[in-house]
Amino acid sequence: MDGDVAVGVKRGSDELLSGSHYNSPNSSVTSNGSDSKKLRVEENPPSRVIHIRKLPNEVSETEVIALGLPFGKVTNILMLKGKNQAFLEMGTEEAAITMVNYYTTVTPQVRNVPVFIQYSNHKELKTDSTLNQRAQAVLQAVSAVQDGSSPNSESGGSENVLTPAPSPVLRIIIDNMFYPVTLDVLQQIFSKFGTVMKIITFTKNNQFQALLQYSEPVNAQQSKLSLDGQNIYNSCCTLRIDYSKLVNLNVKYNNDKSRDYTRPELPAGDGQDSSMNKDSTSLLGSPTAAPFSSGGGFSSSLCLAQGGGAISPLSAAAAAAAAAGRVALAGHSGSSGVLLVSNLNEEMVTPQSLFTLFGVYGDVQRVKILFNKKDSALIQLSDGNQSQLAMSHLNGQKMYGKIIRVTLSKHQTVQLPRDGLDDQGLTKDFANSPLHRFKKPGSKNFQNIFPPSATMHLSNIPEDVTEEDLRLLFSNAGGTVKAFKFFQDRKMALLQMGTVEEAIQVLIDLHNYDMGAGHRLRVSFSKSTI
């Protein structure tokens, strides 16, 4: 993650949308070089009690509770102040699993300091109520707020979290906006805390601002508590959040500046395309937020049970921003275009298979499988945006039966072997490949970047090819074809495999498959279900 300096923010600042190496289970080195043993996760089985370490001094109970709030009810807390540690008990094991999965891809931060989270070996917290009175008071007040009632006692030291939210509308200002932040990105980030009803974006005093309305004031409260002061991307796009004096927003048009998710029939206005038509390509799945559920309120289109990889809405939002404003930001991106991929199946993996899979999220220039460590590879994409995108979507996914790990490499480029040297075909240059999906500026492919899913989108299908032909082709490539649907013109179709892993496999094998008569099949992941 070299090169943050352009922004002038210290390294490792809070980032909502970057794949993080602090917390990935196999990261043995932290960015500050502290000893690796401490940060290796001793994999305890899932438990609703979560152990939080490396907390900054003077941290309050409220701040620790805020880490768990978005994922469900917090039922107990124990602070070990002298040790900079805490235990947080969630209402259900499911909420705890959602929380730990989420924080494996996004670094949890308290007061701008990365903290370390894992399952505790305790199954529940038994706390001495006299010692733990303050914590219990805070907890009681937070639960009351979460349930929508008012806290029944004036709890000392519970900070301003606990006064009921004055409004369901938030005013959001974005500082250090080096990347474009779109309405879709905001919707995806904020819908983690409840149903987003309306958003209006505008520029005031040369600053990008937004008004965002939730269905309930309590959702506004939770998101302000968790997101205020956070960065959307590495070291930039900082969220400054306040309650608005307005309690209801009046949205006239549905377009890229404003949207009322409760009224999809509104006109686009100003001659813009209405992005709320039925085929709306909000890059992050359906534009309407899923109702806030106790399981954490993740939008259903990005449900976490996607074959091992915790795909968080926040990392998917990186896709939206990168695709919506493809601007040359190499100087600010804080990362090179090179990824390190480890835990590969060395018997099966080839440069070509990595080119095809990572090519879904960016234009792969070069691939090098490491000579002395054939379960690892370096992959160079066109820029830092594309590498961030590929990392956030593919880290934790299964390829050839193994869960792969994807991190940013310290290398700036992938070296080709010197002329005349044979490296057994482990390095391949794809710079002139005709298969790059994102070469053309403004290509439709930018709007169709989705997380790996069991449902595939097929295009460029020859007229004489039948559903039976395609079902046979895909089941022979490995796996079960669960469902199939042609589009009206029959040049495109949706096809659903049994699992996300099977879908990844058939995409690698059949993207660019020669269907005859000059037709090469195009395969990508879809946000739709059949």
Side-chain angles (χ1 to χ4, degrees):
M1 301 219 320
D2 300 335
D4 278 7
V5 288
V7 189
V9 177
K10 72 175 184 296
R11 228 190 199 133
S13 82
D14 40 336
E15 53 223 38
L16 288 179
L17 290 190
S18 67
S20 138
H21 56 275
Y22 284 106
N23 259 47
S24 71
N26 62 348
S27 67
S28 53
V29 186
T30 69
S31 69
N32 59 11
S34 70
D35 61 300
S36 59
K37 288 192 185 64
K38 258 190 195 162
L39 268 159
R40 195 177 284 277
V41 176
E42 300 82 28
E43 290 280 9
N44 287 324
S47 154
R48 64 194 186 96
V49 179
I50 287 168
H51 185 193
I52 305 166
R53 295 187 283 152
K54 297 197 180 300
L55 286 162
N57 296 333
E58 305 308 316
V59 70
S60 70
E61 285 87 349
T62 304
E63 290 168 289
V64 175
I65 292 170
L67 288 169
L69 266 189
F71 305 95
K73 203 168 179 62
V74 177
T75 47
N76 208 345
I77 179 173
L78 175 63
M79 303 284 283
L80 307 178
K81 288 261 165 89
K83 289 186 169 178
N84 298 77
Q85 298 185 13
F87 290 94
L88 203 60
E89 181 187 270
M90 301 299 288
T92 63
E93 195 174 289
E94 183 192 27
I97 291 170
T98 307
M99 177 175 169
V100 170
N101 281 351
Y102 175 70
Y103 285 132
T104 345
T105 53
V106 177
T107 312
Q109 302 270 344
V110 176
R111 300 195 181 188
N112 281 1
V113 176
V115 299
F116 191 66
I117 285 182
Q118 68 189 81
Y119 297 117
S120 164
N121 46 17
H122 300 290
K123 286 294 171 205
E124 62 178 316
L125 276 186
K126 293 191 171 64
T127 48
D128 179 330
S129 56
T130 50
L131 288 176
N132 211 27
Q133 258 173 342
R134 176 188 149 92
Q136 292 305 316
V138 172
L139 203 61
Q140 192 183 5
V142 171
S143 319
V145 169
Q146 224 178 354
D147 297 338
S149 61
S150 60
N152 55 9
S153 64
E154 288 296 313
S155 74
S158 55
E159 275 96 56
N160 55 3
V161 205
L162 308 170
T163 52
S167 162
V169 179
L170 294 175
R171 187 185 59 142
I172 302 153
I173 295 176
I174 298 181
D175 285 341
N176 301 329
M177 196 162 123
F178 295 127
Y179 286 87
V181 173
T182 64
L183 185 138
D184 284 323
V185 170
L186 292 174
Q187 189 265 339
Q188 196 63 57
I189 292 171
F190 282 82
S191 64
K192 184 157 103 39
F193 299 89
T195 305
V196 174
M197 313 283 280
K198 302 169 188 178
I199 306 178
I200 297 173
T201 63
F202 53 95
T203 303
K204 186 176 176 186
N205 305 334
N206 287 333
Q207 262 187 324
F208 179 83
Q209 301 194 17
L211 292 168
L212 182 145
Q213 181 176 341
Y214 279 109
S215 51
E216 300 291 336
V218 62
N219 305 135
Q221 184 161 32
Q222 285 168 5
S223 73
K224 180 178 185 301
L225 186 69
S226 296
L227 296 176
D228 188 26
Q230 296 267 30
N231 291 347
I232 299 179
Y233 297 114
N234 278 340
S235 312
C236 73
C237 302
T238 310
L239 292 165
R240 304 273 174 237
I241 303 172
D242 272 310
Y243 297 112
S244 167
K245 292 188 175 65
L246 301 168
V247 290
N248 186 32
L249 296 179
N250 182 18
V251 176
K252 294 192 175 72
Y253 303 115
N254 280 332
N255 54 38
D256 59 358
K257 302 275 191 300
S258 64
R259 201 161 297 172
D260 184 337
Y261 294 99
T262 62
R263 298 181 63 204
E265 75 286 352
L266 286 175
D270 301 338
Q272 294 194 46
D273 278 353
S274 168
S275 41
M276 290 293 287
N277 59 15
K278 68 175 174 359
D279 202 24
S280 155
T281 41
S282 141
L283 294 163
L284 310 169
S286 118
T288 42
F292 189 56
S293 67
S294 58
F298 284 92
S299 130
S300 53
S301 59
L302 292 168
C303 126
L304 281 162
Q306 291 207 355
I311 292 176
S312 66
L314 298 190
S315 53
R326 307 282 315 164
V327 281
L329 285 168
H332 293 308
S333 65
S335 65
S336 75
V338 181
L339 296 171
L340 172 65
V341 186
S342 54
N343 203 38
L344 292 162
N345 180 333
E346 55 187 274
E347 304 297 315
M348 304 287 288
V349 75
T350 61
Q352 183 65 46
S353 61
L354 290 168
F355 168 78
T356 305
L357 179 58
F358 281 75
V360 172
Y361 300 105
D363 291 339
V364 175
Q365 304 297 312
R366 292 175 181 176
V367 177
K368 181 191 283 286
I369 293 173
L370 303 186
F371 189 81
N372 296 327
K373 201 173 181 315
K374 293 194 171 64
D375 71 344
S376 299
L378 291 170
I379 299 177
Q380 182 179 337
L381 289 106
S382 292
D383 60 42
N385 275 348
Q386 293 184 357
S387 59
Q388 285 274 1
L389 210 50
M391 177 174 72
S392 62
H393 284 87
L394 295 175
N395 180 39
Q397 295 290 348
K398 259 191 176 176
M399 178 183 183
Y400 296 124
K402 296 189 78 172
I403 291 176
I404 63 171
R405 291 283 158 226
V406 186
T407 54
L408 294 173
S409 166
K410 61 180 186 295
H411 295 282
Q412 297 298 311
T413 57
V414 170
Q415 296 295 322
L416 294 175
R418 289 201 295 281
D419 284 350
L421 272 185
D422 175 27
D423 74 342
Q424 304 167 6
L426 295 175
T427 307
K428 198 145 192 245
D429 188 0
F430 293 99
N432 299 317
S433 168
L435 297 179
H436 287 152
R437 295 178 188 242
F438 306 104
K439 234 185 211 141
K440 285 190 196 133
S443 155
K444 263 206 176 132
N445 293 335
F446 287 126
Q447 295 159 31
N448 291 305
I449 298 174
F450 300 111
S453 63
T455 307
M456 328 285 300
H457 181 275
L458 318 182
S459 58
N460 212 20
I461 302 168
E463 284 169 17
D464 54 350
V465 168
T466 65
E467 174 176 339
E468 207 40 58
D469 296 331
L470 288 164
R471 279 178 175 269
L472 193 62
L473 178 65
F474 276 75
S475 52
N476 284 346
T480 321
V481 176
K482 285 254 176 106
F484 182 91
K485 188 172 107 192
F486 265 124
F487 282 59
Q488 245 173 337
D489 62 1
R490 294 180 71 86
K491 288 180 187 155
M492 297 193 285
L494 292 176
L495 180 143
Q496 187 183 342
M497 299 301 291
T499 64
V500 176
E501 186 186 357
E502 286 176 9
I504 286 173
Q505 186 57 56
V506 295
L507 181 135
I508 290 170
D509 291 344
L510 296 176
H511 177 61
N512 199 43
Y513 182 82
D514 189 351
M515 302 289 290
H519 284 267
R520 289 199 170 263
L521 187 64
R522 295 185 62 81
V523 183
S524 49
F525 299 115
S526 170
K527 71 172 191 292
S528 310
T529 48
I530 304 175

